[in-house]
Amino acid sequence: MDFKIEKPVHQWSSDRELDNLEDDKLGRGEFAKRIAKELQGWNHNQGSLVMSLNGDWGSGKSSFKNFIIRCMEAESKNNGMTPIPIVSYNPWQWSGQDKLLQGFFDEVGKAFKTGKLRNFLKAWKLARAWEGLKAITIASREVATHLQRSLATISTLIAGGGSGLLALNFDSVWLSTIFATLSLILIGFATLCAIYAPVADLVAAVINWKFRSGEQSLENTRANLKRQLLKLERPVLVVIDDLDRLTIDEILLVVQLVKANADFPNVAYLLLFQRSRVAKALQEVFKENGYKYLQKVIQVELDIPSPPEDRLRKMLLDGLDIIHARAKFRWNAEAKQRWRNTFEDGIWPYFDTPRDVKRFLGVFGFYFESHITDEILEVSFTDLVGLEVLRMFDHEAYDGVRFAFQSKRRIYLQLLFGEKEFQEEFQLGVKELLERTTLSSVQKRALSALLYELFPQGSDNVSMDEQTWDRDNRICHPKHFPKYFQLTPIEGDISESTLRRLIEARNSISSSKDILLEVAQEDALLRLFERLLSVKDELTESTIRTLLHALFDISDMLPSIKNGVEFRADAERELARLSVQLLRGIEDPQTRSAILKEAIENTAAITGPAICVSMLVSSSKKEFDTQSRIIDLNTLEEVRDSVAKRLWICAQGDSFWNLHAVAFLIYRIKDWMPENELKGWLAKALAEPKHALVFIEHMVNESSSTNSRYGTRRVYKIPVRAWSDMVDIKMLYNSISQENLVGVNQKIVEKLGEILDSKDLNSKLQEIYVISRDEEGNLFEDPSDQF
């Protein structure tokens, strides 16, 4: 069995912007260097330069901005040039705080105050001039904003009609007039307070600055600032990022701010945004083409290069490599081919930007680790990736899978048995997801490929392969489906870790026995047998040899399986069936026979070998071609005689009656031993009431039955013809009739008494009805169950 296994590495992916060119995985470094070179060479003293860098959300604008800045810094250092002062202003950090203007002026002012300019006196004068522009601009903005709000309030009150203050009715006309006049005076006073209170400090700052600087107007302030900027050796670069994340009003404010200050010399602006979003916001305000408005502000428009598909693809696959190295999972040729097919058609089409990749890897890493037990992945890697792609990029489809499909759990079970009506219902659910009008044609193709790969039952032409789905822990298998949505172990399920431990204990019979008994105590042995059958074609000869020994060794000590009236196969018979299937996995007939003989000769157990040999002998008697037999007849006769001898010895003691497969073993003694020895042994053994009680408890026929009145129930019948051939019914009755019995055993003894009284022993009836038991365990008689 081939597994993908590497040294586990823990690494969480993140959506943080990159800072160094060394981290560039998408080949954008050269483009960043060209922009940096152009900005380094720009030195214009007649006005500002406004450049935009356009890209969709998640395309890597912020990382690209960092690359440009690092390139500019490196070029200045390498050429011995004075570094260009760079101001990074992110208005999104000030969004919703009514401080966008203050943030802009503060960030640019820091470039002057913190020594980014070499000449201290020049920096001081420039900082003073900038503070003046800041004070006047912010104060003007606040006064205008609050005046607008207050005027709106006045208009509302005056125009309020019947609901306004001024519309109150008085009996006297002069009283109404006096009240209206007083109201207007009070509103005017309130309006002045509303304007003055929020901006008082700002107006005071403007007055203070005018007093200290001697400037008399905004025009004088701007002229002084231009003079100071003309003295700069290198231009100042103001980088404004995340403009497209702001509200419409905030986008307008920042664009107007840049436009209003675009005539300052030696100042360059680099704006990063998604062009369509900013243009749409401007269009809603100005009711004209937003793109044309942007062209009035921006002189140079550049687009972020689309990430090369091969590099973006490599970025995703490298991240997945790091994640899946944390666990072992099936990674043979078949699994690799399925991954390639699913990835190309159903997974890769969902990834368009670097952010898509980073966000997915970060979240997928978490869910991947949630499905690991003892370094073993408990689900299909391909299915887990596909499901997480749906969860992140098409949550409606994810919910459709998680809720709509999961709420119809019976559909999965019925699908596996080919029920057409359930398959059609399942297919309808898939088609509803694909026919959503919100999906583009590309999205529909990708979703279709992914859904049909995850759930083959959704297709009209699909070969149901339950065993392979079980082997690979596929989401389409009803027993594995819940694993993908609940991150805790499912009761009664067999973890991939347990299965791998059992398989890897290929040379240790004792370790294999410990694992089998551990699972048996959890009442999950039958599920383990199913999982082993699903991987039987991949088991090595040494693993089969060890498993067969271990299975035989535990066959006499399996716990009882109790599950109400629901039909479940007994563990002993399923153990033997698995043993036969394991033997089929040995290609060489002689090796196969040798392994069977060795396992039988080296175990002290009775049940497993007896049932296994019985199955093999029964198959050999059928009219099959000689080549179809898995064990030759001579070997079968030899191992049958060996098991029969050991069984007969065991039957002479009390331990025989403690075995769970008593009924089966009694019938094997009947088949393999002379009739007189069988009757003599049973006559002696059943004279003991405790043995007689075990006999009737195990030898009564049980079957399931269902009708509209009582639902599913257990039906008990005495096989009178079979019992009469083995025991004296009267002796059996006398042995236990005086015992204090309850439940089904009591009803059996009562029925035996009736049989003896009515002489039904001489009838041709094969079996006689005793009692029925409903799902709650209540006993009742139902005439319809007698037939």
Side-chain angles (χ1 to χ4, degrees):
M1 191 172 299
D2 187 14
F3 289 97
K4 175 70 176 177
I5 174 172
E6 297 177 16
K7 182 179 179 181
V9 178
H10 184 78
Q11 175 178 318
W12 289 90
S13 301
S14 68
D15 192 24
R16 294 176 298 180
E17 60 192 57
L18 302 177
D19 194 54
N20 297 307
L21 269 175
E22 292 78 10
D23 299 324
D24 176 34
K25 297 180 180 180
L26 300 176
R28 298 176 172 184
E30 289 302 317
F31 190 66
K33 289 177 182 178
R34 288 180 57 196
I35 295 177
K37 185 177 181 180
E38 293 295 330
L39 288 172
Q40 284 278 34
W42 183 82
N43 190 357
H44 202 291
N45 56 15
Q46 296 301 316
S48 296
L49 171 70
V50 182
M51 174 190 296
S52 69
L53 200 54
N54 310 305
D56 293 337
W57 282 3
S59 61
K61 296 188 295 295
S62 297
S63 297
F64 200 80
K65 168 204 68 177
N66 293 338
F67 294 162
I68 293 173
I69 293 174
R70 296 296 169 259
C71 289
M72 294 176 67
E73 293 172 346
E75 186 171 339
S76 297
K77 182 178 181 180
N78 294 337
N79 297 329
M81 301 167 61
T82 302
I84 290 181
I86 300 175
V87 178
S88 292
Y89 169 56
N90 191 322
W92 194 42
Q93 296 176 353
W94 303 82
S95 176
Q97 303 178 45
D98 294 328
K99 293 185 178 180
L100 288 178
L101 291 178
Q102 181 178 333
F104 172 77
F105 283 104
D106 285 352
E107 293 299 329
V108 176
K110 288 178 184 177
F112 307 142
K113 294 178 180 179
T114 57
K116 287 188 177 182
L117 302 178
R118 292 187 175 183
N119 188 303
F120 175 76
L121 182 60
K122 187 186 301 181
W124 180 79
K125 290 182 178 180
L126 186 56
R128 291 273 299 167
W130 187 258
E131 280 295 318
L133 182 64
K134 168 187 172 183
I136 293 176
T137 304
I138 294 178
S140 301
R141 170 75 180 181
E142 289 296 324
V143 170
T145 300
H146 286 84
L147 180 59
Q148 183 181 21
R149 292 173 182 170
S150 298
L151 289 176
T153 302
I154 294 173
S155 301
T156 301
L157 290 171
I158 292 176
S163 62
L165 282 173
L166 303 186
L168 290 174
N169 294 318
F170 292 92
D171 293 334
S172 173
V173 175
W174 67 269
L175 284 176
S176 297
T177 304
I178 292 174
F179 181 81
T181 303
L182 288 173
S183 298
L184 286 173
I185 294 173
L186 290 172
I187 290 172
F189 179 75
T191 301
L192 290 175
C193 292
I195 298 173
Y196 178 76
V199 301
D201 291 339
L202 298 174
V203 174
V206 174
I207 295 172
N208 181 52
W209 173 79
K210 283 180 173 287
F211 177 78
R212 287 185 289 110
S213 65
E215 299 289 352
Q216 298 300 315
S217 65
L218 176 60
E219 289 72 16
N220 290 339
T221 300
R222 293 177 63 85
N224 181 37
L225 184 57
K226 287 182 179 180
R227 287 194 298 272
Q228 300 302 327
L229 288 170
L230 281 170
K231 299 175 183 179
L232 293 179
E233 298 177 26
R234 305 298 305 280
V236 176
L237 175 62
V238 181
V239 181
I240 302 179
D241 197 0
D242 289 331
L243 181 59
D244 48 6
R245 296 192 181 191
L246 303 177
T247 65
I248 293 177
D249 291 340
E250 291 170 339
I251 289 175
L252 174 62
L253 176 59
V254 175
V255 172
Q256 289 179 325
L257 181 64
V258 173
K259 186 176 185 294
N261 295 285
D263 60 341
F264 288 129
N266 282 326
V267 178
Y269 294 92
L270 176 60
L271 280 58
L272 296 98
F273 53 75
Q274 181 177 330
R275 183 192 290 113
S276 60
R277 177 169 172 78
V278 174
K280 182 180 179 181
L282 296 174
Q283 185 168 324
E284 290 191 21
V285 175
F286 295 107
K287 307 304 179 184
E288 63 175 273
N289 193 307
Y291 292 102
K292 290 184 178 179
Y293 187 90
L294 276 177
Q295 291 173 358
K296 298 175 183 178
V297 180
I298 300 168
Q299 291 88 51
V300 179
E301 290 186 87
L302 299 176
D303 290 324
I304 290 281
S306 298
E309 183 173 352
D310 61 330
R311 298 210 179 193
L312 190 63
R313 181 191 187 97
K314 185 176 185 300
M315 181 178 172
L316 174 60
L317 293 176
D318 286 349
L320 289 174
D321 279 342
I322 292 173
I323 292 173
H324 73 49
R326 303 172 193 167
K328 303 174 186 177
F329 58 91
R330 186 183 309 277
W331 199 238
N332 52 22
E334 180 184 353
K336 291 177 182 178
Q337 184 59 49
R338 178 170 181 259
W339 162 254
R340 284 192 288 267
N341 294 340
T342 309
F343 180 82
E344 292 298 335
D345 300 330
I347 293 175
W348 174 240
Y350 283 93
F351 294 88
D352 297 319
T353 69
R355 176 172 294 162
D356 291 340
V357 173
K358 291 180 180 179
R359 289 179 63 244
F360 176 80
L361 291 175
V363 176
F364 178 71
F366 170 79
Y367 282 103
F368 182 88
E369 289 195 343
S370 301
H371 293 288
I372 297 175
T373 304
D374 297 331
E375 299 185 346
I376 300 293
L377 184 66
E378 298 291 346
V379 296
S380 162
F381 177 79
T382 297
D383 286 2
L384 185 61
V385 173
L387 186 66
E388 288 309 308
V389 163
L390 289 181
R391 197 185 65 79
M392 180 162 288
F393 298 108
D394 190 348
H395 209 276
E396 186 177 347
Y398 174 81
D399 283 343
V401 169
R402 181 170 58 148
F403 295 122
F405 293 172
Q406 190 176 22
S407 66
K408 302 171 183 176
R409 287 187 293 270
R410 288 185 63 250
I411 292 180
Y412 287 104
L413 297 175
Q414 297 293 340
L415 281 173
L416 294 176
F417 293 99
E419 291 289 342
K420 186 176 180 180
E421 64 173 295
F422 290 102
Q423 186 171 358
E424 290 175 349
E425 185 177 352
F426 186 91
Q427 292 169 353
L428 180 62
V430 174
K431 290 178 180 177
E432 286 176 355
L433 291 176
L434 293 175
E435 291 173 357
R436 288 172 293 156
T437 57
T438 55
L439 296 179
S440 67
S441 58
V442 174
Q443 291 171 327
K444 284 184 179 180
R445 284 196 299 270
L447 180 59
S448 175
L450 189 51
L451 283 179
Y452 286 129
E453 183 56 49
L454 292 177
F455 301 99
Q457 302 101 317
S459 174
D460 293 327
N461 301 313
V462 60
S463 175
M464 298 297 177
D465 193 355
E466 179 186 5
Q467 196 169 87
T468 299
W469 297 343
D470 190 14
R471 179 198 68 190
D472 295 341
N473 299 304
R474 293 278 301 276
I475 190 174
C476 60
H477 193 282
K479 291 176 181 174
H480 295 295
F481 179 88
K483 291 182 184 178
Y484 289 81
F485 302 97
Q486 61 185 71
L487 304 182
T488 54
I490 300 172
E491 185 178 356
D493 188 38
I494 297 299
S495 70
E496 189 72 11
S497 172
T498 299
L499 185 63
R500 294 304 144 208
R501 283 195 296 127
L502 184 59
I503 292 173
E504 291 169 5
R506 58 179 60 90
N507 296 317
S508 175
I509 297 174
S510 61
S511 296
S512 298
K513 285 173 55 178
D514 290 342
I515 297 171
L516 289 169
L517 290 174
E518 172 188 324
V519 173
Q521 293 301 321
E522 297 173 357
D523 196 22
L525 199 59
L526 299 184
R527 177 65 181 133
L528 176 60
F529 292 168
E530 291 178 9
R531 295 300 310 279
L532 282 170
L533 283 174
S534 72
V535 299
K536 68 181 187 303
D537 294 337
E538 300 176 357
L539 301 180
T540 64
E541 181 181 308
S542 61
T543 301
I544 293 174
R545 185 188 301 269
T546 301
L547 275 175
L548 196 63
H549 277 247
L551 288 168
F552 282 173
D553 280 354
I554 70 166
S555 62
D556 283 349
M557 57 184 77
L558 298 182
S560 299
I561 297 177
K562 297 179 180 178
N563 200 42
V565 300
E566 182 182 347
F567 173 76
R568 290 182 63 173
D570 59 274
E572 290 82 6
R573 187 172 294 277
E574 290 302 302
L575 181 148
R577 188 170 73 90
L578 173 62
S579 300
V580 172
Q581 293 299 322
L582 291 176
L583 286 169
R584 292 181 184 276
I586 305 297
E587 293 185 5
D588 180 59
Q590 292 183 343
T591 304
R592 191 187 305 134
S593 297
I595 289 177
L596 176 62
K597 284 183 62 176
E598 178 186 340
I600 289 177
E601 290 173 357
N602 287 280
T603 185
I606 297 295
T607 307
I611 301 178
C612 181
V613 168
S614 178
M615 287 181 175
L616 291 171
V617 170
S618 176
S619 297
S620 70
K621 290 181 179 180
K622 295 179 180 179
E623 295 299 327
F624 292 143
D625 182 73
T626 306
Q627 298 296 324
S628 66
R629 298 193 184 110
I630 66 170
I631 303 294
D632 65 90
L633 291 178
N634 290 333
T635 302
L636 273 180
E637 290 178 359
E638 185 178 346
V639 294
R640 181 197 60 190
D641 292 343
S642 174
V643 172
K645 182 179 179 181
R646 190 188 310 166
L647 174 59
W648 182 245
I649 294 173
C650 176
Q652 308 311 308
D654 286 345
S655 61
F656 174 86
W657 300 97
N658 294 325
L659 298 174
H660 292 144
V662 165
F664 175 85
L665 296 176
I666 289 176
Y667 281 112
R668 294 297 73 74
I669 293 174
K670 181 178 183 295
D671 292 338
W672 295 342
M673 301 298 294
E675 182 180 355
N676 61 329
E677 292 194 23
L678 168 69
K679 289 187 174 182
W681 163 66
L682 282 176
K684 180 179 179 181
L686 299 185
E688 290 281 346
K690 62 180 180 179
H691 295 164
L693 181 60
V694 173
F695 180 88
I696 66 167
E697 188 174 310
H698 284 262
M699 295 291 286
V700 68
N701 286 348
E702 294 183 49
S703 62
S704 283
S705 182
T706 304
N707 63 27
S708 58
R709 181 180 179 185
Y710 294 108
T712 302
R713 60 203 182 281
R714 211 56 153 164
V715 179
Y716 299 89
K717 297 181 179 180
I718 297 175
V720 289
R721 182 61 62 189
W723 285 15
S724 298
D725 291 342
M726 291 186 285
V727 300
D728 182 339
I729 299 296
K730 186 175 182 179
M731 180 274 296
L732 176 63
Y733 174 78
N734 291 336
S735 178
I736 55 177
S737 60
Q738 300 304 314
E739 298 295 314
N740 186 20
L741 305 178
V742 295
V744 175
N745 289 341
Q746 179 186 1
K747 297 297 181 180
I748 292 174
V749 173
E750 291 175 358
K751 183 62 66 173
L752 286 176
E754 295 175 9
I755 293 172
L756 291 173
D757 291 340
S758 64
K759 310 299 182 181
D760 277 347
L761 286 176
N762 297 323
S763 72
K764 296 182 179 180
L765 290 176
Q766 296 295 320
E767 57 183 10
I768 295 178
Y769 172 74
V770 177
I771 200 73
S772 299
R773 187 178 67 190
D774 64 20
E775 296 178 0
E776 285 73 36
N778 301 313
L779 297 178
F780 64 95
E781 292 188 9
D782 182 1
S784 65
D785 287 339
Q786 296 183 25
F787 306 100

